[in-house]
Amino acid sequence: MPTRIILDTDIGTDVDDCLALALILGSPELALEGITCVYGNVLLRARIALKLLALRGLHHIPVFGGAEQPLTRRDGIYWEGHEGQGLLEPAEENLMPQSESAVDFIIRTVMNNPGQIHLICIGPLTNAALAFLKEPHLAQNLAHLTLMGGVVRGMNRLDLPYCEHNIVCDPDSAHIVFTSGAPITVVPLDITTLVKIDKAGLERIRKAGMPFHAAVADQIARYPRFAAQGQTSLHDPLAVGVVIDPTLVQLQPVHIDVETAGRHSAGATWVRTLHPGELANIQIATAVDSTRFENFFIERVEQ
Ligand code: BDR
Ligand code: CA
């Protein structure tokens, strides 16, 4: 039986959300129940998701708009400005998400299917937090929550930011998610920056030959970081990969606290090993087999 998933995403800004969706659609181990969009212009994000699904002929998978703003912080939405370019035609403004909200879809799907739905969060955690707040029994009915987010900085990775994007955009929501009691797997930035796609990978996807592949390749080429550096990190696809095959990474049970205040550290993820007897519901990736994942990713997306 495939794992039934909901993908919660800020698709359209970093190209890796598009690549995470491509990995899902190329993976028979996963059954995509719906896509929920979060953070900023969620209508545009939903249209991007709908267009990518349509290019694969998947008109039946529902897409939902969710929270546009973080729960409490109002630092301004990070918006690169290229979102949807090269993918959406002007006429595709008629692509519309479902009228039900992302939060209600998550709650309804999980509560109607106790213990069966795996939520994969690859954007700021506002939709997930609102769902936990609205339905107090959500955490115990969720099969699992896997998220790309957070960063564990050490002396060997001083190149990394103090705080990771998906957490820093809404630290209060991240705190709610990490204290929800749901079983959670965290795939953090110090690990996701170890997996990349480069120009050779892009060309393999383009040569796969379908309009969907051409669109995905074009989105990679247009992504400003890829255009500047000839490669970009596979952050969100690695979170999906861990759902399909957890042996791609090493996982360790931990406790995580999110800093919700602080001049430099709001959005920082403080990670420690468990105290004796402390119950673990969170595990974090501490290493990745980069070559195996990068090959796995391209082979799946080529399909
Ligand atoms: C995360 O932030 C976004 O830009 C990416 O899509 C990923 O989810 C990486 O920090
Ligand atoms: Ca993302």
Side-chain angles (χ1 to χ4, degrees):
M1 281 282 283
T3 301
R4 299 172 64 183
I5 62 165
I6 296 173
L7 182 70
D8 187 63
T9 173
D10 58 344
I11 193 165
T13 303
D14 189 321
V15 73
D16 67 333
D17 294 72
C18 164
L19 298 179
L21 178 58
L23 176 56
I24 289 169
L25 300 181
S27 296
E29 300 89 344
L30 302 178
L32 182 58
E33 303 272 326
I35 297 175
T36 54
C37 298
V38 70
Y39 189 68
N41 188 342
V42 292
L43 176 59
L44 179 56
R45 297 198 193 286
R47 285 184 174 141
I48 292 168
L50 284 162
K51 177 68 186 279
L52 289 166
L53 290 172
L55 285 167
R56 292 275 308 219
L58 298 168
H59 301 279
H60 63 286
I61 296 177
V63 177
F64 301 82
E68 298 179 357
Q69 294 285 338
L71 268 194
T72 54
R73 292 170 64 83
R74 292 288 182 270
D75 292 345
I77 298 293
Y78 178 78
W79 197 257
E80 288 216 4
H82 67 107
E83 289 84 350
Q85 283 177 14
L87 185 68
L88 295 173
E89 309 289 339
E92 282 162 345
E93 293 203 345
N94 62 3
L95 284 174
M96 292 301 284
Q98 304 287 313
S99 55
E100 186 180 20
S101 75
V103 170
D104 287 344
F105 170 71
I106 291 170
I107 292 172
R108 177 172 62 82
T109 309
V110 172
M111 298 307 284
N112 286 346
N113 301 280
Q116 290 187 47
I117 305 296
H118 194 135
L119 180 60
I120 305 178
C121 295
I122 56 173
L125 291 163
T126 321
N127 284 344
L130 287 169
F132 284 122
L133 290 175
K134 190 167 180 181
E135 175 48 74
H137 300 295
L138 188 71
Q140 69 221 53
N141 285 284
L142 200 56
H144 207 88
L145 192 160
T146 294
L147 65 94
M148 188 283 135
V151 57
V152 184
R153 299 179 87 245
M155 284 306 287
N156 59 339
R157 291 302 307 271
L158 295 180
D159 57 308
L160 294 170
Y162 296 164
C163 309
E164 184 277 329
H165 177 80
N166 290 341
I167 308 297
V168 82
C169 288
D170 191 349
D172 303 282
S173 286
H175 169 72
I176 290 166
V177 168
F178 284 126
T179 55
S180 67
I184 296 175
T185 298
V186 178
V187 184
L189 190 71
D190 45 295
I191 301 304
T192 63
T193 45
L194 302 177
V195 290
K196 308 272 187 195
I197 182 168
D198 60 12
K199 288 180 179 168
L202 183 158
E203 287 311 320
R204 275 182 64 179
I205 294 172
R206 198 194 304 279
K207 284 186 183 137
M210 308 288 284
F212 174 80
H213 298 116
V216 170
D218 185 58
Q219 290 299 295
I220 299 169
R222 284 172 183 269
Y223 179 50
R225 196 166 308 164
F226 189 93
Q229 299 173 5
Q231 62 172 21
T232 191
S233 295
L234 295 169
H235 307 289
D236 295 341
L238 184 60
V240 172
V242 169
V243 177
I244 300 168
D245 181 359
T247 70
L248 287 162
V249 295
Q250 273 177 33
L251 292 166
Q252 181 177 338
V254 289
H255 176 88
I256 297 182
D257 285 308
V258 179
E259 184 61 73
T260 54
R263 198 150 57 96
H264 300 295
S265 58
T269 38
W270 293 98
V271 180
R272 64 161 171 79
T273 52
L274 297 174
H275 296 147
E278 189 175 8
L279 288 179
N281 67 301
I282 300 177
Q283 55 181 354
I284 194 166
T286 56
V288 58
D289 187 339
S290 298
T291 306
R292 184 156 79 89
F293 176 70
E294 288 169 359
N295 290 333
F296 170 86
F297 169 78
I298 294 288
E299 283 163 14
R300 290 299 178 93
V301 175
E302 277 177 327
Q303 289 178 26

